Amino acid sequence: MRIVILGIGASGIIAQFVLVRELLVNFNGNEFSLGFILGSWLLAEALGAYSARHIRFSITNYRFLIFLFGIIFPVTVGIVKIIRPITSTLPGEIFTLTKMLLVSFAMISPVSFIHGMLFTGSSEILVRELKDKHKVSGYVYSLENLGTIIGGVIFSLFLLPRLSATLIALSVSFMNTLLGVFISKENNKSKYWWTFIGCVLLGLAIGYTPKFEKWALTKNFPYYNVLGSLNTHYSNVTIVMREDQQTFYIDGMPTINIPNYDRVFIEEFVNFPLLTHNNPEKILIIGGGIGGVIKQLITCNIKEIIYVESDPDLISIIKSFSTHEISEELNSPKVKIIHNDPRLFIATDTNKYDLIFINLIPLTIQINRCLTKEFFILCRKRLNNGGILVTTTPGSTTYLSSILRKLIFSHINTLKKVFPHVNVIFGDFTLYLSHCDANQKVLNAESLYFRLVKRNFPSQIFNKNYIDQRSRYFYFDVKEESLKSDVSQRIKVNSDLVPWGLFYNLNYYNLIFNPKLQRVFENVENLNFLKVFWGIILLFAIITKFFRYYKIDLTMGFAIFTTGFGAMLATLIVSFVFQLHHGYLYYQVSILLTTFIIGSAIGAYISNFIQSTKIRNVLLNETIIITFFCFVLVTLLFFSNSKIFNNLLVFYIILLVGGFLMGAEFPLANKLDMRESSESNERVRKILGKLYAFDLLGGFLGALLGATALLPTIGVINTIIVVILLKVVSIFLILTKK
């Protein structure tokens, strides 16, 4: 039976990791979707654990649930592979927040609901074997967490580098078949027949897997010839062709088009900064260099071009599908490709540049980290006197909607925190030229055209009339009266720990596809720390009044709820900060989550041996949890920009300690709730199901609120303070417990 519980834990975490990675690709790599995915898992698992409280488990129905889990998981992975055509989402179209939430819950809930039922079922079956029934909760919790650790390690080190998601799902399905067949100790020949049938079915499924995955890709990219799809440490890259045009999709977004690229964008993005600078010679490009930008710079006789690309596998993939245009860009003696994280490169580089180009749209934390105030400060240090930082955002030549104005002014306000002068060119995209020189003057159309002729820049669209027409949209320090307003002064600055730029960009693209979300975004945008603080105070007053009036004691339930809430937010915050400093969360997410689970398992295992059932044990653990969050808060406040977070060990230690403290609380709360109760199997099952459901429900709300409201708006620091306040409320409730 213990082997079965270990297998259930391993199956659950592997299923979670596979679905997380597959959904992240469909959700364009948006890290905040991690909150939706994990939240959906926790909510459905909580419902499963709670609903199973009313089932009397036998070996037969317990085995049936194990078989059912093994069937539903690979079927779900297959559906996720074609979720875009199912939801009528076109290639390059982003999932709106509502669609993201619905798809997450629809895909995750069947698997996690059954997994939650299996936890309660395991507790009831194991309680028949143990004499001390107070230890059942911690024992099952520890066993399942140990299985989760084993599954997480196997997935991260062995399965992920070698097998596709479909093959991993089929392997888990086969393992669950074996668990179900050999769950009882009776020697039955039918077990071996079921094993033989399972092996045959697994072999057939594996044989057809490549055909299925190829078919799924064609469904996701209709009317295209799919050339290939690969996973790197940073993202998923899919290459498609239509007629003679190759398009590279990175996490579902079209990023590189060859050989025919957007001529207007490339020439404006490159030529305006080059013509504005007095004598550009040395250029640094961060993101979006391949596919036109580098080629345009080469034709403009730039002496040296440094292109920073964090993902070396992406360059290898591009070279394997090389065209004449790509070879021209990558093999030029003027171009030097650096495989390094942009933030780390900028922080450690000693060279100076005349121009720094950042061709990125922040739809993820991974990209937004290169467009924050802190990153711009690093960029300014790498610019020569008279140097220019070049960035872009979406734009319009006709009408600036409310959210587009906020997006633009958030970027402008962020730039103006670092650079003395910012030139803005409005158009179908908005171009920003941020100057280090405080005395920089705006150039008129005649001056720009004179430099174009003198430097002999080749151009298909730049001429005197075109420059004159575009210069009408050229503003110095945003002095145009139609754009100046008190609202612009209130638009938030985009920073590392409060990513307002990411929030406005996600808002803008979501409203394009679903305008009904505008009211939701406005409410989230108006959220601040004071509103959250008074909300917690109100919650405390309501809970206290409710408990006393109805004489209901859910004190331990609320303590476990806030612990689950804090555990999920701790996981999201660490993932957020990891992506901020390293940028490859897509590859590392399974290892980070496994580290937290290891800490949780150790904490649950050790606290299960504590014999005392006094309330002071829970109070002590709650106090230590508050201390832990205070330590994380101080660390981020004073060391968020230091080199301390360049060391991966720091993230593992924080997750391990946090997991230990929060995992230790579950057995302690269970013992306290059961110390005066009868030891009947039914009573034990109900208490276990109730507290486990509270734990998972807290995790669900932490994931949902953290991803949609807390982290994007009030930021990391204030979110940690919210968790601390909730734990303080929990301590007050425990102190009032009779």
Side-chain angles (χ1 to χ4, degrees):
M1 185 61 201
R2 292 162 180 78
I3 298 296
V4 174
I5 296 175
L6 287 173
I8 290 171
S11 299
I13 197 63
I14 293 173
Q16 187 180 112
F17 287 165
V18 168
L19 292 173
V20 163
R21 285 174 60 87
E22 290 299 307
L23 287 171
L24 270 175
V25 172
N26 280 288
F27 297 157
N28 311 113
N30 182 354
E31 298 88 351
F32 286 131
S33 68
L34 191 63
F36 294 148
I37 300 167
L38 295 179
S40 298
W41 180 281
L42 293 173
L43 176 62
E45 189 160 9
L47 294 173
Y50 193 81
S51 63
R53 295 166 66 243
H54 305 289
I55 300 175
R56 294 186 62 85
F57 281 90
S58 63
I59 293 295
T60 302
N61 54 30
Y62 185 66
R63 180 189 287 125
F64 171 75
L65 282 178
I66 295 175
F67 283 152
L68 190 60
F69 182 91
I71 293 170
I72 289 179
F73 173 41
V75 171
T76 302
V77 171
I79 295 173
V80 170
K81 289 280 186 182
I82 55 172
I83 197 63
R84 280 186 168 269
I86 289 175
T87 58
S88 302
T89 307
L90 298 174
E93 181 182 347
I94 70 167
F95 275 82
T96 62
L97 290 181
T98 49
K99 188 186 288 188
M100 200 184 293
L101 181 59
L102 292 174
V103 167
S104 296
F105 188 75
M107 293 296 97
I108 292 290
S109 58
V111 180
S112 57
F113 183 85
I114 296 171
H115 195 260
M117 294 183 72
L118 285 170
F119 176 84
T120 306
S122 300
S123 302
E124 183 179 357
I125 291 177
L126 196 62
V127 80
R128 301 168 190 165
E129 302 179 13
L130 296 178
K131 294 181 180 180
D132 189 354
K133 298 183 180 183
H134 290 101
K135 290 186 177 181
V136 172
S137 61
Y139 194 68
V140 175
Y141 197 73
S142 301
L143 272 178
E144 187 172 290
N145 275 331
L146 180 59
T148 299
I149 295 167
I150 295 170
V153 171
I154 291 173
F155 176 83
S156 301
L157 300 182
F158 301 103
L159 299 180
L160 179 59
R162 295 172 177 83
L163 300 180
S164 66
T166 310
L167 287 176
I168 294 173
L170 290 172
S171 302
V172 170
S173 178
F174 180 67
M175 184 185 75
N176 275 266
T177 301
L178 294 182
L179 290 176
V181 168
F182 290 93
I183 192 172
S184 65
K185 298 179 181 179
E186 298 176 4
N187 189 13
N188 193 332
K189 291 183 179 180
S190 63
K191 292 181 178 181
Y192 303 100
W193 280 107
W194 277 109
T195 306
F196 174 74
I197 293 171
C199 290
V200 171
L201 292 176
L202 178 65
L204 291 172
I206 290 174
Y208 280 95
T209 293
K211 293 182 179 180
F212 166 75
E213 291 183 341
K214 186 176 181 179
W215 172 81
L217 277 172
T218 59
K219 286 293 183 182
N220 279 285
F221 295 91
Y223 313 113
Y224 287 94
N225 178 22
V226 180
L227 302 180
S229 181
L230 297 167
N231 289 323
T232 73
H233 284 193
Y234 292 82
S235 59
N236 170 268
V237 182
T238 301
I239 308 95
V240 300
M241 176 176 278
R242 188 173 182 180
E243 297 179 352
D244 295 329
Q245 182 82 348
Q246 285 186 15
T247 303
F248 291 77
Y249 282 83
I250 298 179
D251 285 337
M253 295 297 291
T255 305
I256 301 171
N257 292 292
I258 50 175
N260 301 313
Y261 50 82
D262 188 344
R263 170 65 62 180
V264 174
F265 171 80
I266 294 297
E267 289 209 17
E268 289 198 5
F269 181 66
V270 172
N271 288 356
F272 271 122
L274 290 182
L275 296 174
T276 303
H277 195 280
N278 292 329
N279 184 28
E281 293 184 346
K282 192 169 185 177
I283 306 295
L284 174 64
I285 305 173
I286 297 174
I290 299 175
V293 172
I294 293 177
K295 182 180 178 181
Q296 184 68 18
L297 286 168
I298 292 172
T299 60
C300 292
N301 300 320
I302 300 301
K303 292 183 179 180
E304 186 178 2
I305 302 168
I306 307 296
Y307 177 45
V308 178
E309 174 53 61
S310 57
D311 190 353
D313 293 329
L314 177 61
I315 301 297
S316 300
I317 294 169
I318 292 172
K319 285 182 177 180
S320 64
F321 292 92
S322 181
T323 63
H324 173 70
E325 289 77 12
I326 292 295
S327 298
E328 205 174 19
E329 289 184 320
L330 299 182
N331 298 327
S332 171
K334 296 180 179 180
V335 179
K336 182 179 180 181
I337 300 175
I338 304 292
H339 294 302
N340 200 347
D341 178 73
R343 288 183 69 110
L344 182 60
F345 175 80
I346 286 287
T348 57
D349 188 28
T350 57
N351 293 309
K352 294 279 190 175
Y353 302 93
D354 298 314
L355 289 163
I356 297 178
F357 288 86
I358 303 178
N359 185 17
L360 299 169
I361 299 296
L363 293 176
T364 64
I365 298 170
Q366 182 184 19
I367 296 175
N368 188 72
R369 61 202 284 268
C370 294
L371 292 161
T372 61
K373 178 185 68 175
E374 291 81 358
F375 187 73
F376 291 157
I377 292 172
L378 295 175
C379 288
R380 184 173 180 179
K381 293 177 181 178
R382 300 274 67 82
L383 285 168
N384 289 316
N385 292 331
I388 302 173
L389 175 69
V390 186
T391 55
T392 67
T393 66
S396 175
T397 56
T398 55
Y399 172 70
L400 293 180
S401 64
S402 173
I403 181 56
L404 187 54
R405 289 162 63 90
K406 291 177 181 178
L407 186 157
I408 290 172
F409 271 107
S410 175
H411 194 69
I412 290 172
N413 291 345
T414 305
L415 289 168
K416 287 176 72 65
K417 288 287 184 180
V418 181
F419 295 92
H421 289 293
V422 179
N423 294 343
V424 184
I425 304 175
F426 291 94
D428 293 327
F429 70 96
T430 310
L431 181 63
Y432 306 84
L433 310 182
S434 304
H435 300 268
C436 289
D437 187 359
N439 298 317
Q440 175 68 35
K441 295 182 179 180
V442 64
L443 296 176
N444 56 32
E446 289 185 4
S447 300
L448 293 173
Y449 180 68
F450 175 78
R451 287 185 173 182
L452 177 71
V453 174
K454 181 180 178 181
R455 297 175 184 177
N456 194 26
F457 284 178
S459 175
Q460 295 182 13
I461 64 172
F462 267 55
N463 53 47
K464 188 174 182 179
N465 291 333
Y466 185 85
I467 294 175
D468 182 61
Q469 181 185 15
R470 293 296 290 117
S471 295
R472 297 174 186 175
Y473 298 98
F474 199 113
Y475 303 108
F476 185 71
D477 276 347
V478 202
K479 290 184 178 179
E480 177 64 23
E481 291 300 325
S482 63
L483 290 172
K484 289 181 67 178
S485 67
D486 293 336
V487 175
S488 68
Q489 305 303 318
R490 297 197 301 268
I491 301 302
K492 309 295 193 303
V493 168
N494 187 29
S495 64
D496 283 349
L497 298 181
V498 190
W500 276 103
L502 175 58
F503 175 81
Y504 289 129
N505 273 277
L506 290 174
N507 189 344
Y508 172 71
Y509 282 100
N510 271 272
L511 292 182
I512 290 176
F513 299 106
N514 189 357
K516 296 179 181 178
L517 288 174
Q518 183 170 358
R519 181 63 62 85
V520 175
F521 276 106
E522 288 175 354
N523 290 333
V524 172
E525 185 182 356
N526 293 328
L527 189 67
N528 56 48
F529 177 75
L530 284 177
K531 291 181 180 179
V532 176
F533 174 78
W534 287 114
I536 291 174
I537 299 299
L538 180 62
L539 176 66
F540 172 68
I542 292 174
I543 291 174
T544 305
K545 186 70 174 177
F546 182 84
F547 285 178
R548 290 178 177 174
Y549 184 80
Y550 289 99
K551 298 181 180 180
I552 297 175
D553 186 9
L554 290 179
T555 306
M556 289 301 104
F558 186 75
I560 291 294
F561 169 84
T562 55
T563 299
F565 186 86
M568 179 49 64
L569 280 175
T571 305
L572 287 178
I573 288 168
V574 171
S575 300
F576 183 110
V577 178
F578 178 89
Q579 186 75 319
L580 190 65
H581 285 269
H582 296 278
Y584 52 95
L585 179 65
Y586 177 71
Y587 178 76
Q588 199 78 9
V589 62
S590 59
I591 300 175
L592 292 172
L593 293 176
T594 301
T595 303
F596 184 85
I597 293 166
I598 290 173
S600 179
I602 296 173
Y605 182 78
I606 292 177
S607 70
N608 202 44
F609 286 98
I610 297 176
Q611 299 296 325
S612 172
T613 57
K614 293 183 178 180
I615 201 167
R616 66 186 180 192
N617 295 329
V618 179
L619 279 173
L620 178 62
N621 196 69
E622 290 272 287
T623 305
I624 298 175
I625 288 175
I626 291 176
T627 306
F628 164 77
F629 276 105
C630 289
F631 171 78
V632 174
L633 178 67
V634 172
T635 304
L636 288 172
L637 275 174
F638 296 101
F639 301 102
S640 61
N641 294 320
S642 68
K643 295 181 180 179
I644 186 173
F645 287 108
N646 291 337
N647 190 342
L648 294 180
L649 188 61
V650 173
F651 296 94
Y652 299 143
I653 291 174
I654 291 174
L655 286 172
L656 197 67
V657 174
F660 178 89
L661 295 174
M662 294 172 217
E665 186 149 320
F666 188 77
L668 295 176
N670 269 283
K671 290 177 184 178
L672 199 61
D673 255 11
M674 288 194 292
R675 67 181 178 181
E676 295 179 357
S677 66
S678 63
E679 293 192 0
S680 67
N681 293 351
E682 183 178 0
R683 177 64 178 165
V684 171
R685 182 180 73 242
K686 287 186 176 182
I687 291 175
L688 286 174
K690 179 191 72 175
L691 291 184
Y692 191 57
F694 270 113
D695 185 17
L696 297 176
L697 183 60
F700 163 71
L701 288 177
L704 185 63
L705 295 177
T708 58
L710 299 179
L711 289 175
T713 54
I714 69 173
V716 173
I717 300 300
N718 286 330
T719 299
I720 295 174
I721 296 175
V722 167
V723 176
I724 293 172
L725 289 175
L726 275 174
K727 295 309 294 181
V728 170
V729 172
S730 175
I731 287 179
F732 275 116
L733 284 175
I734 293 173
L735 290 173
T736 62
K737 181 180 173 67
K738 294 181 181 179

